[in-house]
Amino acid sequence: MLVVEPDELIRQLLCAWLTEAGYAVEAQAPSGQIRRAKPDLVILNVPRAKGFQAAVDSLSERYSGPILAISAQFRRGLGASAAVARRLGVRRVLPKPFTREELLQAVTDSLDMGDAPR
């Protein structure tokens, strides 16, 4: 699993939560290169709505696997919408702030979707 998050403290927290849940996790700032050949899932934070599509497109060019998007730009009612995720080209969206349990459920849901189209 790859976590792409600009804030170092949040990146560390996400990695701790995911590692405690049994996931192998790699983390990087958005400008970094994907080091793992094919992570099972990419968790991508996009802080600004305008930059969201460019970030997803850039990541999709380098890696074709599922993406779980996290952002404070998403709203609670919007975050659960499969239609919003499809429109954005990601497997799932999760609004910030979120709890450990919400993150782990979103990860499980994203991985359980198998080969569902993004």
Side-chain angles (χ1 to χ4, degrees):
M1 186 165 308
L2 175 65
V3 174
V4 181
E5 164 64 52
D7 184 288
E8 184 176 349
L9 292 176
I10 294 174
R11 196 167 53 238
Q12 290 174 357
L13 179 62
L14 295 177
C15 288
W17 284 352
L18 293 164
T19 301
E20 289 169 2
Y23 294 104
V25 182
E26 185 174 323
Q28 68 183 47
S31 59
Q33 295 293 325
I34 295 176
R35 292 177 290 275
R36 183 181 295 184
K38 187 177 179 184
D40 296 333
L41 178 68
V42 176
I43 299 173
L44 173 66
N45 176 25
V46 182
R48 302 223 184 268
K50 285 185 177 181
F52 184 82
Q53 198 61 58
V56 170
D57 292 346
S58 173
L59 188 61
S60 294
E61 287 175 10
R62 293 182 281 158
Y63 170 69
S64 62
I67 299 170
L68 166 61
I70 58 175
S71 179
Q73 299 296 316
F74 300 134
R75 300 293 177 247
R76 282 281 160 199
L78 178 67
S81 172
V84 172
R86 275 193 308 275
R87 188 179 78 232
L88 297 174
V90 298
R91 186 68 55 93
R92 179 112 193 261
V93 295
L94 181 63
K96 282 183 170 184
F98 49 80
T99 65
R100 178 182 188 273
E101 291 73 25
E102 289 171 327
L103 172 67
L104 295 178
Q105 186 61 57
V107 166
T108 298
D109 292 349
S110 295
L111 292 172
D112 285 347
M113 293 175 83
D115 294 326
R118 291 187 301 126

